[in-house]
């Protein structure tokens, strides 16, 4: 970590470990709030092209923390992984593609947030990097949900491990999951 | 297990391993590939369908139509939409359509593909879970097809490899078989040379064995040379290199006792008259030179007529045995002619009178020599090249003309031959085999072979007689069950028809083949080694034994002796005359027996005249004896 991202990289990782230790076994609302705040405060929003020099790169939490930069899906992935680390069941967390109207302008932008579903049919709590607080989705009139996913379907068929297929790299989502596993997350 | 079998086993195992292995790998990797493709398709289609449904109004009819449209136009085994609580909202399933694929194969490869799963959104909320499985029955069929194809190709490749392998095995086996047969031949003391195979290991073995054969051949040559030198020193006149008196007379006696072609012929004597005067006139060296020239002239004659022997009976007298030749007139003229031309060459006044007579089997040697001596004395009185022929007592001649002989012999052969039985015994007095010389009924009497054999060979009837003897001998062995030694003549050896007939008759009596011993004169081996070799190998293959008779000290010089596979040899009677009292002769026979044994050949002495001589011969290492002095123990009374 230090080799790749220097002192600041190491520092944020240590903070993240402290956060995990502190929130472990804690109350769910606190967990959601603290995790949301941790990434929203420490990671600066930038376009992928500016950070990675490529269109739409899905970074792992380690990369996001190391760079202290990320775009919407990088926030969502980092929060998703952190919450799973804290023992929140994966089936209750879904990444949601949304259409966002930013500010008062009528500009629509493709955006991604993390939703927490208390039950499968419930209205989710939205963890967004554009808005500091966690709000139920019904209050977020600026967002139109389009589609959601999580890693549940990937591991269907009994195996708890993503299959180490070369084809997994062809899908962005599966690719980032692979890389996270290599870096020691999602174990 | 034979080496070749092991080789085949190894090749087959390797081929099977390679083919089964690649078949397994091929099927497994195809199966894996198909599974992966179907899994990706499941995931992608589930997400695509869920995405469309998320955008739709959540009207049950619309959702059902959407699901049905996807199911009916696509290739699916199952599409299921469950609500958030897991209750089925909509479901379409189809069975597996696995045709013309054997059940065991399906069971064996059975794809394990997880269903694709995606969540349908209704606004922020989850509407339900979509699960989807693609139809993959076709994959079994194509996998089965490709497996069959692969197996077919492998079968083809296997067949080609096996053909190739059989070619390789053959190229290994042929030299291997040769090596084995050479080794077996050496085991039977037949030291043959083999051509070197190309395989390196085999070549080394063959080289080693060839070296052994070569060494044996060398040894044979050297030993035989030594024996021959020994014999020459003992038996030859140092001045003229002809036989001295005693061995010459032994030879004559052997002929007179013989039952073979040599039993009758012509005996001639030549005298260098007034040797004392010549000696004074020419000096010692000059006289010696003269004697040598006379001896060489007689040698020429002996070689010309064949089977001849020249001896120096005393200082001035030479003698010449020409077996098988009975025309005194012609021989006499030829001899006189040669002596005259020699006289002319010499230039000095030299007198070379000569005398000739015929000898016949059973005649007394002393009487024969005395009458010839008398004739020579009268020839000497006739002049420088005087010649006297001793008249034959007419009673001794059966027939005089060729056509008479021919007719009489054909008739006699038609009547059949009678076989005499002379035992050949080993050191313990046990029977080795019977010698069975033939008897023919001529002029109302059974005549011994010595009487008619010269005519048989002169009239080229030898193959006919030999075949008659073979038939009689086969019948004899069948009835008596005792082994016999059958004589074959040199003339028969070169007769292709005879050889074929002989082999087929022996083959017809395969059961008693081990009781058949065939013997040929040593001269046949010297003159027709190739024909002898062919016959030997054929007869040995049938289980018979083959040997040589009348063998002299030169037998080691017989071409390819070490590889003929001879079982026995009978040493010429001339070599064993009065053996008890002759030390030099004993060492000669000992040497011959040792040499024969080194080749696995049994040594038998011919013409043994007494039990005492037989005992001496056994002490010298001979394995068997035969002759006038040898009687079967039962008739002997002990």
């Amino acid at each position: 970590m230090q080799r790749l991202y220097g002192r600041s990289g190491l520092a944020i990782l240590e903070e993240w470990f402290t956060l995990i230790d502190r929130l472990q076994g804690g109350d769910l609302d606190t967990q959601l709030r603290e995790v949301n705040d941790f990434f929203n405060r420490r990671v600066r929003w930038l376009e992928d092209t500016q950070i990675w020099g490529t269109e739409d790169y899905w970074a792992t939490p380690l990369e996001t923390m190391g760079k202290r930069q990320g775009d919407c899906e990088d926030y969502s992935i980092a929060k998703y992984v952190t919450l799973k680390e804290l023992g929140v069941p994966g089936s209750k967390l879904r990444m949601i593609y949304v259409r966002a109207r930013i500010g008062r302008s009528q500009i629509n932008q493709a955006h991604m947030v993390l939703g927490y579903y208390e039950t499968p049919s419930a209205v989710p709590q939205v963890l967004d990097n554009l808005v500091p607080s966690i709000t139920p989705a019904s209050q977020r009139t600026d967002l139109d949900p389009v589609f959601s996913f999580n890693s549940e379907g990937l591991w269907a068929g009994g195996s708890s491990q993503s299959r180490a297929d070369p084809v997994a790299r062809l899908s962005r989502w599966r690719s980032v999951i692979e890389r996270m596993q290599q870096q020691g997350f999602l174990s | 297990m034979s080496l070749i079998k092991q080789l085949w086993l190894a090749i087959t195992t390797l081929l099977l391993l390679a083919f089964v292995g690649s078949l397994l790998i091929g099927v497994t990797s195809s199966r894996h590939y198909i599974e992966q493709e179907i899994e990706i398709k499941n995931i992608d289609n589930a997400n695509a369908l869920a995405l469309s449904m998320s955008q739709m109004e959540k009207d049950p009819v619309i959702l059902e139509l959407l699901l049905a449209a996807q199911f009916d136009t696509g290739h699916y085994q199952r599409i299921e939409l469950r609500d958030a609580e897991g209750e089925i909202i909509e479901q379409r399933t189809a069975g597996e359509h696995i045709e013309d694929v054997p059940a065991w194969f399906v069971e064996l490869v059975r794809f394990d593909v997880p269903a694709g799963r995606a969540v349908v959104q209704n606004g922020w909320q989850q509407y339900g879970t979509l699960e989807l499985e693609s139809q993959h029955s076709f994959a079994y069929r194509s996998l089965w097809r490709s497996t069959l194809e692969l197996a077919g190709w492998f079968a083809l490749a296997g067949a080609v490899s096996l053909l190739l392998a059989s070619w390789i095995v053959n190229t290994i086996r042929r030299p291997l078989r040769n090596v084995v047969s050479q080794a077996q031949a050496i085991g039977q003391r037949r030291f043959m040379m083999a051509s070197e195979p190309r395989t390196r290991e085999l070549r080394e073995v063959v080289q080693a064995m060839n070296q052994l054969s070569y060494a044996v051949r060398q040894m044979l040559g050297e030993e035989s040379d030594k024996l021959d030198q020994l014999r020459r020193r003992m038996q030859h006149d140092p001045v003229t290199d002809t036989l001295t008196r005693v061995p010459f007379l032994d030879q004559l006696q052997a002929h007179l006792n013989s039952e073979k072609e040599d039993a009758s012929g012509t005996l001639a004597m030549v005298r260098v008259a007034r040797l004392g005067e010549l000696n004074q006139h020419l000096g010692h060296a000059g006289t010696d030179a003269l004697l040598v020239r006379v001896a060489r002239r007689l040698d020429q004659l002996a070689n010309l007529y064949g089977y001849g022997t020249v001896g120096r009976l005393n200082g001035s007298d030479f003698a010449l045995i020409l077996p098988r030749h009975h025309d005194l007139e012609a021989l006499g003229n030829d001899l006189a002619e040669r002596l005259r031309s020699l006289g002319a060459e010499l230039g000095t006044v030299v007198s070379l009178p000569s005398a000739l007579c015929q000898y016949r089997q059973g005649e007394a040697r002393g009487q024969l020599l005395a009458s010839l001596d008398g004739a020579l004395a009268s020839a000497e009185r006739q002049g420088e090249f005087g010649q006297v022929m001793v008249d034959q007592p007419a009673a001794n001649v059966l027939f005089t003309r060729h056509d008479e002989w021919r007719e009489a012999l054909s008739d006699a052969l038609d009547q059949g031959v009678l076989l005499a039985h002379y035992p050949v015994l080993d050191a313990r007095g046990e029977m080795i085999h019977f010698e069975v010389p033939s008897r023919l009924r001529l002029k109302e009497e059974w005549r011994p072979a010595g009487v008619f054999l010269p005519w048989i060979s002169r009239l080229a009837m030898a193959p006919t007689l030999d075949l008659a003897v073979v038939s009689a001998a086969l019948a004899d062995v069948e009835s008596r069950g005792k082994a016999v030694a059958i004589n074959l003549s040199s003339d028969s050896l070169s007769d292709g028809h005879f050889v074929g007939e002989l082999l087929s008759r022996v083959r017809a009596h395969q059961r008693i083949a081990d009781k058949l011993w065939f013997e040929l004169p040593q001269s046949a081996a010297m003159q027709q080694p190739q024909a002898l070799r062919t016959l030997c190998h054929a007869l040995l293959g049938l289980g018979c034994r083959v040997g040589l008779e009348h063998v002299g000290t030169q037998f080691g010089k017989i071409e390819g002796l070490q590889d003929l596979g001879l079982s026995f040899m009978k040493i010429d009677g001339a070599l064993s005359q009065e053996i008890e009292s002759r030390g030099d002769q004993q060492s000669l026979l000992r040497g011959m027996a040792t040499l024969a044994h080194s080749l696995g050949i049994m040594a038998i002495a011919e013409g043994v005249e007494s039990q005492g001589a037989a005992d001496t011969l056994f002490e010298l290492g001979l394995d068997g004896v035969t002759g006038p002095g040898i009687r079967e123990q039962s008739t002997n009374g002990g």
Side-chain angles (χ1 to χ4, degrees), chain B residues 553-574:
Chain B
T553 44
Q554 305 101 317
F555 86 101
K557 299 262 184 62
I558 294 171
E559 192 185 323
L561 174 68
Q562 71 281 4
D563 129 44
L564 281 175
L566 295 177
S567 317
F568 66 100
M569 65 177 206
K570 291 184 173 165
I571 297 170
D572 196 27

Side-chain angles (χ1 to χ4, degrees), chain A residues 94 117 120-121 137 145-148, chain B residues 51 55 119 121 123-126:
Chain A
R94 298 189 71 83
Y117 288 81
S121 53
V146 177
F147 190 58
S148 74
Chain B
L51 192 54
Q55 308 312 310
V119 167
Q121 292 278 128
W124 284 109
Q125 283 158 295
Q126 296 179 30

